[in-house]
Amino acid sequence: MSTDPHSTTVTLSGHLMDTGVLARVLDDVLEYGGDYRIESLELGREHEDESRAHIQIRATDPDLLERIVMRLQTHGANAVDPGTAITRPAPADGVFPDDFYSTTNLDTFVRLDREWIPTDRAEMDCGLVVDESGGRRVVRTVPVSDVRAGEAVVCGAHGVRVEMPPSVVRGEEEEFGFMGSAVSSEKPQAVLVRQIAERMREVKAAGRKVLWVGGPAVVHTGASPAMVRLVEAGYVDVLFAGNALATHDIESALYGTSLGVDLAKGSGVPHGHEHHIRAINTIRAAGSIAAAVESGVLTGGVMHALVRAGKPFVLVGSVRDDGPLPDVHTDVIEGQRAMRAQLPGVGFAIMVATMLHAIATGNILPASIPLVCVDINPATVTKLADRGSAQAMGIVTDIGLFLEQLARELT
């Protein structure tokens, strides 16, 4: 029998057995150095019924117990008696107190006195700051880089609960079959594309936005015309990308090449290796991508279509970028802020042919936003899910074929 003096009881509900959530919760308790005792387990009697569990968590010291409870909240577990939130002042700009509450990407609520207050947004790996607005207390989700000295930061797991997003009703999974497995390389692609197209139509009909995250393979595979059709049809509301996608898209529009390769013939062209840097120089001379469109310098491609449609894009660069284009955020913290600013109203996210930008976007998305990752490399979506975006579902396929089929379905 354990002699651990510190304990609390958490509650967990859902399809605990067939989703493996219960096993993951118990594994995490042991991995963190704690112990557990299942006080009650009520299994659903019917196919669609949820199960419920009460689990006593024990640890050798209170700090470890708090860390375990915070970890279990990533699975939707909450303390039966959460208590009231504790706050401490941030010791310096960009520094949380040592025992700050580390957020999940689930909808989060904080109890101050007797009132449960919803946080302004859900994002993993941030802190919670209690503030006042209009005479009422509010709770903001704040990245560590943005916290300011003296702000009241929620510490420990006391007075914090999370809510899992509603799951697909049991028995109706086939309607959204692409959400039924983490990575799919063998399901009929035409069926998956139709299901994604239908979800996009529903999101747009509900007045929500479709967020795209793209890599340069959109251009390399010759899929730019399909992407342009999707923009013009209203199915691209905001684009996150790096310097590369925009640069090679503009290179394609100006020179008909991507990385110096003729997209029509698939062969290299004389001096083609210079085209990408000459494309960057042309846009820098114009002042911006929008200015190049307005002046008639840039007359085609995905970036041209986005400017013409009045759709925002956020380009965040990396250390290996040439140029970069004048629209690219070279300060990654500013880039993160620009990305977060575009998230309100997003109802669906689709990521194509980009690992780093997909993971970066997944890290700032709430778990309630459906997320599909499409890549020829199955490791991309696996890494995305491993970093906490459990809602990420993947399709392993050629990006060019996928985008052409999706554009055909929607346009």
Side-chain angles (χ1 to χ4, degrees), residues 141-152:
T141 303
V142 178
V144 67
S145 58
D146 290 355
V147 71
R148 293 293 170 258
E151 289 186 319

Side-chain angles (χ1 to χ4, degrees), residues 14-237:
H15 299 290
L16 306 182
M17 308 303 288
D18 52 357
T19 61
V21 170
L22 180 59
R24 290 198 295 274
V25 165
L26 302 183
D27 286 345
D28 282 352
V29 173
L30 298 178
E31 183 178 334
Y32 270 61
D35 199 1
Y36 65 84
R37 177 177 179 270
I38 298 178
E39 295 183 340
S40 66
L41 177 59
E42 300 176 14
L43 296 178
R45 293 178 178 273
E46 302 291 337
H47 181 63
E48 68 277 3
D49 291 344
E50 293 188 346
S51 301
R52 289 174 176 80
H54 280 68
I55 308 169
Q56 184 189 62
I57 310 300
R58 300 187 292 261
T60 53
D61 65 77
D63 291 340
L64 176 58
L65 184 63
E66 296 260 321
R67 288 185 58 223
I68 294 173
V69 172
M70 277 191 268
R71 172 60 185 174
L72 299 188
Q73 284 191 320
T74 64
H75 304 299
N78 289 298
V80 172
D81 181 12
T84 303
I86 299 170
T87 64
R88 306 189 205 283
D93 288 354
V95 181
F96 289 138
D98 288 342
D99 59 344
F100 74 97
Y101 176 83
S102 178
T103 59
T104 71
N105 58 0
L106 303 174
D107 289 340
T108 303
F109 301 81
V110 176
R111 185 158 75 179
L112 303 172
D113 298 328
R114 296 183 178 179
E115 180 184 11
W116 283 103
I117 300 175
T119 60
D120 62 339
R121 60 190 177 85
E123 181 180 338
M124 70 176 74
D125 301 330
C126 292
L128 298 175
V129 169
V130 178
D131 208 343
E132 283 200 12
S133 177
R136 291 180 57 85
R137 285 188 294 184
V138 296
V139 182
R140 297 183 290 114
T141 303
V142 178
V144 67
S145 58
D146 290 355
V147 71
R148 293 293 170 258
E151 289 186 319
V153 180
V154 174
C155 293
H158 294 289
V160 181
R161 67 177 173 87
V162 298
E163 289 186 1
M164 297 289 286
S167 57
V168 177
V169 177
R170 300 276 289 177
E172 297 182 7
E173 297 95 333
E174 196 60 32
E175 182 178 356
F176 304 114
F178 74 92
M179 302 298 285
S181 62
V183 183
S184 173
S185 59
E186 297 180 352
K187 291 182 181 179
Q189 182 169 308
V191 174
L192 295 171
V193 170
R194 282 198 298 271
Q195 290 171 339
I196 293 172
E198 185 58 32
R199 177 59 66 93
M200 286 186 172
R201 293 189 189 98
E202 291 175 355
V203 167
K204 296 295 294 181
R208 307 281 286 175
K209 298 189 296 187
V210 177
L211 164 66
W212 285 75
V213 186
V218 170
V219 181
H220 303 334
T221 59
S224 290
M227 190 76 177
V228 168
R229 299 205 306 275
L230 289 167
V231 173
E232 293 173 344
Y235 288 101
V236 182
D237 293 298

Side-chain angles (χ1 to χ4, degrees), residues 24 74 104-107 122-124 164-168 176-183 199 211 343 346-351 358-373 381-395:
R24 290 198 295 274
T74 64
T104 71
N105 58 0
L106 303 174
D107 289 340
E123 181 180 338
M124 70 176 74
M164 297 289 286
S167 57
V168 177
F176 304 114
F178 74 92
M179 302 298 285
S181 62
V183 183
R199 177 59 66 93
L211 164 66
L343 295 185
V346 169
F348 186 82
I350 181 166
M351 304 175 175
I359 292 171
T361 304
N363 285 349
I364 64 174
L365 280 178
S368 57
I369 296 179
L371 165 57
V372 173
C373 183
V381 70
T382 301
K383 289 184 178 181
L384 184 63
D386 286 347
R387 281 161 175 77
S389 300
Q391 80 273 34
M393 302 300 162
I395 300 174

